Amino acid sequence: MVPDTTSAAYSSSQSVPQHVAVIMDGNGRWAVREKVSRGQGHKKGSEAVRQAIEGAVEAGVSYLTLYAFSSENWNRPQEEVSDLMGLLRFYLSREIKRLHKEGIKLKVIGHRERLAEDIQKMVAQAEALTADNSRLTLVIALSYGAREEITEAAKHIAAKVQSGDVALEDISEDLVSSSLQTKGIPDPDLIIRTSGEQRLSNFLLWQAAYAEFLFLDVLWPDFTKEIFHEAVQNYLTRERRYGARP
């Protein structure tokens, strides 16, 4: 059970990020370092997910988005993809009841129709089970690509214009945002990427417009809730101006 220590590490005057997104990178390199299989690296990485969730709950974060599997990851060797899908099945079957008991809501974004039918069913059941929870919304980006998401949103809006439901002059940033898969979810305040890489890798491109970024040298399987708290403390030292002059 995650302890109920919401915002305990922060003063009442500090505004913790409402939404933290994480690009979980480094499972493969961790496996090489530890001289184990990539599958074992991914399994160890799944354990770090629990650390991130606990850190988010303790910090008082409302939304935690984890980049679990990109649309480009389908191009990886079939054995690795199979290992990842097997791990996803294990997580959905073993962890969802625990998340529900802890008051955590699960939402999956991405093209789930590319997933095996049994996984699609498990995702739908998990979302339905946890739909009324409010302690933390855990968003899993699965078979997700931001360019694809934006393209689909553009097609959706174009169809509405063509049908006469939306006038050309009524197209706005709000309309685009509400046409994305993250509709109803606030844009991320902080995006963390592990493993030392410094790029977005097709993740939340529209939503990241004014996010703060933190690139960590730690490999994802080594991620802990203490590192999550350190990331939040780093965020709290920054001044967010949204383009305004200091």
Side-chain angles (χ1 to χ4, degrees):
M1 184 73 176
V2 178
D4 191 7
T5 55
T6 302
S7 300
Y10 312 101
S11 71
S12 59
S13 64
Q14 292 177 305
S15 180
V16 300
Q18 182 182 18
H19 182 180
V20 175
V22 185
I23 301 173
M24 305 180 293
D25 194 15
N27 290 348
R29 273 166 282 182
W30 184 91
V32 171
R33 188 191 72 191
E34 299 298 320
K35 299 180 180 179
V36 297
S37 69
R38 290 183 70 89
Q40 288 175 289
H42 292 308
K43 184 177 186 300
K44 182 65 176 178
S46 70
E47 296 172 10
V49 169
R50 166 53 46 181
Q51 292 289 306
I53 292 171
E54 291 185 5
V57 169
E58 292 175 3
V61 169
S62 298
Y63 296 85
L64 174 66
T65 296
L66 302 177
Y67 200 11
F69 191 84
S70 75
S71 53
E72 292 79 17
N73 286 158
W74 290 111
N75 297 321
R76 291 188 175 186
Q78 184 58 46
E79 182 179 359
E80 184 176 356
V81 172
S82 295
D83 285 343
L84 285 165
M85 291 301 110
L87 192 58
L88 178 59
R89 288 184 176 92
F90 178 84
Y91 188 86
L92 289 170
S93 64
R94 297 294 183 91
E95 282 292 311
I96 295 307
K97 289 183 179 179
R98 180 179 181 181
L99 293 178
H100 181 49
K101 185 177 180 181
E102 293 169 354
I104 296 171
K105 177 179 180 178
L106 179 72
K107 178 177 175 58
V108 172
I109 60 173
H111 285 273
R112 64 181 72 185
E113 67 274 10
R114 296 177 185 171
L115 303 170
E117 288 187 10
D118 67 313
I119 295 179
Q120 292 182 47
K121 184 177 180 180
M122 294 171 77
V123 167
Q125 290 173 338
E127 289 179 322
L129 176 66
T130 63
D132 295 328
N133 295 338
S134 59
R135 195 179 188 193
L136 171 73
T137 297
L138 174 64
V139 183
I140 303 295
L142 189 62
S143 188
Y144 171 86
R147 286 184 172 182
E148 194 171 36
E149 176 188 32
I150 294 169
T151 300
E152 291 299 318
K155 290 179 180 178
H156 174 75
I157 294 170
K160 284 186 171 293
V161 171
Q162 190 174 42
S163 67
D165 292 332
V166 172
L168 188 63
E169 57 271 20
D170 291 334
I171 298 176
S172 63
E173 290 187 11
D174 287 341
L175 179 59
V176 175
S177 292
S178 66
S179 302
L180 298 173
Q181 296 175 34
T182 52
K183 177 183 178 180
I185 299 173
D187 290 343
D189 301 295
L190 173 64
I191 295 179
I192 301 168
R193 180 165 186 153
T194 56
S195 86
E197 302 294 343
Q198 300 185 21
R199 56 180 178 273
L200 276 175
S201 295
N202 201 19
F203 180 56
L204 300 180
L205 298 181
W206 174 276
Q207 300 87 337
Y210 280 102
E212 296 293 322
F213 292 86
L214 182 62
F215 301 106
L216 302 175
D217 287 331
V218 63
L219 300 176
W220 177 248
D222 294 325
F223 192 87
T224 64
K225 64 179 181 179
E226 288 76 20
I227 294 173
F228 188 95
H229 285 297
E230 290 171 5
V232 171
Q233 290 287 6
N234 181 288
Y235 169 86
L236 294 174
T237 66
R238 305 186 186 190
E239 181 182 358
R240 304 185 73 194
R241 297 194 294 270
Y242 300 96
R245 299 179 68 179

